[in-house]
């Protein structure tokens, strides 16, 4: 009642104005923002307006008039705004939370746990279909093991459980009764599965044993949870294999690592580096760990995208996984384990998202093309709607994931904003100018359509007679453009250093650092200790499998210790 007549009181609707923690105000459809100062005596008379159907960021402008009974009537006008309250370059953390909360996740009442909505599950399922088909070509079979593991089994491999001990969640009660023996919830499944490997493997004919399971895991003890990137429960696949020889195990490690590279680069359009982890960063209890490493230029942090471990014979020794070879000799198997998780989705959001919201690579978008009717006054609205439906049918029959937005209670501009926030790669607009007057079997034909790309906003008109071919070309171009742009930003963030002073300067500039290293664990611990601060300590990310030349004659020394360098290694802060 105190708003001024010469100001534009604004109601901002949708999720950006709601508390991310589901506060007591979260159920309110919109939040009013009155002017800070009041002048004049006329008051705004506003009737109740339902904002619950408005998308995040819609600005509802109320044209001010006199109070009830006055001559002027209230006029309500919807105007589509940017949609996000935070900008990626100015407040990355809040921007990320706002983007993923829009359509991808919902906050749960247990900290660190999130509901994955269909928009994000669709991405996960697309990657799952690809990866599952590829590992089946490698004769890897799917299975499922229980979620629970006994303490005696979990603690059998000392180094392994020490690495996971802070993250293990325990079931201690059944109803109101204490369990005699607490039961752990799997943080990973090595100790769950390997007692049965020893039961199933007796001779060389039982090898190789190659299993994979799609499941959830729980890792509890941590602070600052981040949707997709760091959560207490997450979805993943985990492969567990056993071989007669180390050579077979080594070969599979790299085969799977290449599949992970393909997920990131070919599907998510994110450049990654294939590398080997240091002894300090490798999987607890394993022989060595390889990974694909991504980088987020906005935060200057690396992300371990997926890992492929050679476990050696350590677990085989603990769980007595032995076999008899062709000569009747006893031996222990060589084992691998490898996994990628829903973290992939978070990395995609961080790399490609912009100030309008999500930007989805076409290969993982559950909707690749959205068709929006643009009717005008006195236009043949039904003809336009029919043309939209026919266009979707044509694209769908060609294997393109397309949908139409025929809702009549929203303007085209409102729809554009919403679908941009959802990140749909390509928008097709069909209006009266896009229709031909000639009738064929009582159906109006589309002569051409307007296409708008989500990645760069460029517009183009394409003809209806080769619609499918041109849409496929556009989608392929968007996919490649996203990868090229991400690679350019990543490469611009990589800095080669050779001294400690250069290292510190590069770290302060949020760089991904490539430096010569002596490969000594004590030196890595020292680097961590010397770089501790509010932003977190730096650590080794990986040593690239494709090593740059390290001139021996030039006497290249380690950037941190001054000792002779043995390899090039990427360093930086990480998630």
């Amino acid at each position: 009642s105190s708003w001024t007549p010469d100001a534009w009181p604004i109601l901002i609707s949708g999720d950006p104005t709601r508390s991310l923690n589901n506060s007591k105000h979260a159920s309110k459809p919109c939040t009013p923002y009155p002017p800070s100062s009041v002048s004049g005596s006329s008051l705004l008379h506003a009737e109740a307006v339902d904002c619950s159907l408005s998308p995040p960021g819609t600005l509802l402008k109320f044209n001010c008039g006199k109070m009830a009974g006055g001559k002027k009537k209230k006029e309500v006008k919807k105007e589509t705004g940017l949609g996000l309250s935070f900008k990626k370059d100015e407040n990355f953390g809040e921007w990320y939370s706002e983007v993923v909360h829009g359509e991808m996740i919902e906050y749960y009442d247990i900290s660190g746990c999130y509901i994955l909505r269909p928009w994000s599950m669709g991405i996960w399922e697309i990657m799952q279909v690809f990866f599952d088909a590829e590992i089946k070509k490698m004769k890897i079979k799917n299975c499922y093991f229980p979620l629970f593991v006994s303490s005696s089994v979990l603690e059998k491999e000392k180094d392994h459980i020490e690495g996971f001990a802070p993250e293990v969640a325990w079931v201690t009660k059944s109803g109101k009764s204490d369990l005699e023996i607490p039961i752990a919830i799997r943080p990973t499944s090595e100790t769950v599965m390997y007692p049965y490997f020893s039961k199933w493997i007796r001779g060389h004919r039982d090898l190789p044993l190659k299993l994979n399971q799609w499941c959830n895991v729980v890792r509890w003890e941590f602070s600052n949870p981040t949707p997709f990137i760091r959560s207490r429960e997450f979805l993943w696949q985990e492969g567990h294999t056993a071989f007669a020889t180390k050579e077979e195990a080594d070969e599979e490690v790299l085969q799977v690592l290449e599949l992970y590279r393909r997920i990131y680069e070919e599907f998510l359009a994110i450049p990654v580096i294939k590398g080997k982890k240091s002894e300090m960063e490798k999987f607890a209890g394993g022989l060595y760990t390889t990974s694909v490493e991504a980088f987020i230029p906005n935060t200057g942090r690396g992300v371990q995208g997926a890992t492929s471990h050679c476990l050696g014979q350590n677990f085989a020794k603990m769980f007595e996984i032995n076999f008899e070879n062709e000569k009747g000799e006893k031996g222990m198997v060589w084992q691998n384990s490898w996994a990628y998780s829903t973290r992939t989705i978070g990395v995609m959001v961080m790399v490609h998202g912009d100030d309008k919201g999500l930007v989805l690579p076409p290969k993982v978008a559950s909707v690749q093309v959205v068709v929006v009717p643009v009717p005008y006054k006195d236009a043949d609205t039904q003809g336009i709607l029919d043309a939209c439906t026919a266009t979707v049918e044509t694209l769908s029959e060609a294997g393109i994931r397309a949908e139409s937005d025929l809702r009549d209670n929203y303007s085209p501009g409102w729809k554009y904003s919403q679908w941009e926030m959802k990140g749909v790669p390509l928008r097709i607009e069909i209006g009266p100018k896009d229709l031909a007057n000639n009738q064929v079997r009582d159906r109006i034909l589309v002569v051409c359509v307007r296409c708008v790309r989500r990645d760069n906003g460029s517009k183009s008109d394409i003809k209806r007679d080769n619609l499918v071919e041109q849409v496929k070309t556009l989608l392929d171009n968007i996919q490649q453009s996203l990868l090229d742009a991400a690679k350019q930003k990543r490469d611009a963030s990589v800095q080669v250093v050779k001294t400690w002073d250069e290292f510190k300067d590069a770290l302060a500039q949020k760089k991904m650092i490539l430096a010569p290293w002596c490969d000594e664990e004590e030196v890595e611990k020292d680097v961590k200790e010397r770089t501790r601060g509010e932003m977190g300590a730096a650590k080794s990310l990986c040593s690239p499998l494709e090593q740059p030349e390290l001139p021996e004659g030039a006497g290249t020394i380690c950037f941190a210790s001054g000792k002779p360098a043995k390899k090039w290694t990427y360093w930086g802060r990480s998630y």
Side-chain angles (χ1 to χ4, degrees), residues 499-515:
T499 67
W500 179 253
D501 287 340
E502 291 176 347
F503 180 87
K504 288 193 300 181
D505 290 343
L507 191 63
Q509 297 170 30
K510 299 182 178 180
K511 298 292 186 179
M512 186 181 194
I513 302 165
L514 182 62

Side-chain angles (χ1 to χ4, degrees), residues 237-509:
Q237 62 71 217
E238 53 176 325
H240 296 271
T241 54
F243 300 90
T245 66
K246 183 176 184 294
E247 290 72 23
E248 292 174 285
D250 288 339
E251 181 181 7
E252 187 201 60
V253 165
L254 296 181
Q255 283 180 318
V256 173
L257 193 68
E258 173 61 13
L259 291 181
Y260 291 150
R261 181 203 66 80
R262 290 182 63 190
I263 285 175
Y264 273 93
E265 296 194 346
E266 295 180 14
F267 283 79
L268 298 171
I270 298 170
V272 291
I273 296 166
K274 294 197 292 186
K276 186 177 180 180
K277 290 288 189 179
S278 68
E279 285 296 302
M280 190 172 169
E281 294 294 329
K282 74 177 183 180
F283 182 70
L287 181 62
Y288 66 85
T289 291
T290 64
S291 67
V292 289
E293 299 286 331
F295 189 74
I296 311 301
N298 292 76
T299 62
R301 293 183 182 273
V303 182
Q304 178 178 283
T307 50
S308 182
H309 316 285
C310 179
L311 302 180
Q313 294 181 308
N314 193 30
F315 285 91
K317 181 179 180 180
M318 292 296 106
F319 291 95
E320 299 180 353
I321 311 175
N322 303 312
F323 73 102
E324 188 177 276
N325 65 19
E326 297 92 330
K327 299 178 182 179
E329 301 168 338
K330 291 284 187 180
M332 288 188 297
V333 300
W334 292 82
Q335 290 179 268
N336 293 337
S337 69
W338 27 270
Y340 83 96
S341 73
T342 41
R343 168 175 279 204
T344 50
I345 300 174
V347 179
M348 178 204 70
V349 175
M350 289 181 168
V351 170
H352 298 308
D354 61 19
D355 290 342
K356 292 183 179 180
L358 290 170
V359 178
L360 299 180
K363 280 195 174 182
V364 294
S366 54
V367 177
Q368 296 171 312
V369 180
V370 61
V371 181
V372 180
V374 190
Y376 293 97
K377 187 177 180 181
D378 300 326
D380 182 0
T381 301
Q382 188 57 50
I384 294 172
L385 297 180
D386 290 344
C388 290
T389 301
T391 300
V392 169
E393 290 176 355
T394 299
L395 295 174
S396 298
E397 288 171 1
I400 298 169
R401 296 186 289 275
E403 289 186 7
S404 58
D405 188 344
L406 306 182
R407 294 173 294 176
D408 60 4
N409 55 331
Y410 296 114
S411 68
W414 190 98
K415 296 176 183 179
Y416 299 165
S417 179
Q418 187 188 41
W419 290 105
E420 284 176 350
M421 291 183 71
K422 290 163 72 80
V424 172
L426 191 65
R427 183 175 77 241
I428 291 179
E429 304 167 3
I430 299 179
K433 292 183 180 180
D434 303 313
L435 303 182
N437 291 325
N438 57 311
Q439 302 284 334
V440 178
R441 294 182 182 178
D442 297 325
R443 293 187 66 182
I444 298 178
L445 296 181
V446 178
V447 175
C448 65
V449 296
R450 168 66 56 88
C451 293
V452 184
R453 292 172 53 149
R454 174 64 181 89
D455 62 325
N456 60 20
S458 65
K459 301 177 181 180
S460 59
D461 294 327
I462 61 177
K463 292 186 176 180
R464 178 69 172 81
D465 54 7
N466 58 349
L467 173 70
V468 168
E469 180 182 343
Q470 292 187 74
V471 167
K472 285 184 175 180
T473 299
L474 275 173
L475 293 174
D476 289 342
N477 187 270
I478 293 169
Q479 184 79 27
Q480 187 62 47
S481 294
L482 286 173
L483 177 61
D484 292 344
K487 189 174 187 302
Q488 184 179 12
K489 291 178 182 177
R490 193 278 310 271
D491 291 348
S493 299
V494 175
Q495 186 166 331
V496 178
V497 308
K498 294 185 178 179
T499 67
W500 179 253
D501 287 340
E502 291 176 347
F503 180 87
K504 288 193 300 181
D505 290 343
L507 191 63
Q509 297 170 30

Side-chain angles (χ1 to χ4, degrees), residues 150-210:
S150 67
S151 58
S152 59
V153 172
L154 184 66
E155 294 168 357
K156 198 164 187 176
E157 210 297 314
K158 183 175 179 293
D159 290 338
H160 179 70
I161 186 55
E162 283 184 356
F164 282 102
E167 300 176 337
V168 177
W170 294 89
V171 178
T172 60
K173 283 182 174 290
S174 173
K176 294 184 178 180
S177 303
D178 291 336
L179 295 182
E180 184 177 346
I181 301 176
I183 298 172
I185 300 175
R186 62 177 172 223
T188 180
S189 295
E190 282 76 11
T191 56
V192 176
M193 300 173 76
Y194 296 165
Y196 300 92
F197 274 43
S198 66
K199 183 177 182 180
W200 298 336
I201 297 172
R202 288 289 181 265
H204 64 90
R205 294 180 182 84
D206 299 320
L207 294 172
L209 177 61
K210 300 196 280 187

Side-chain angles (χ1 to χ4, degrees), residues 10-23:
I10 297 173
L11 298 182
I12 304 179
S13 73
D15 292 335
T17 64
R18 298 176 185 169
S19 166
L20 297 182
N21 296 318
N22 292 324
S23 73

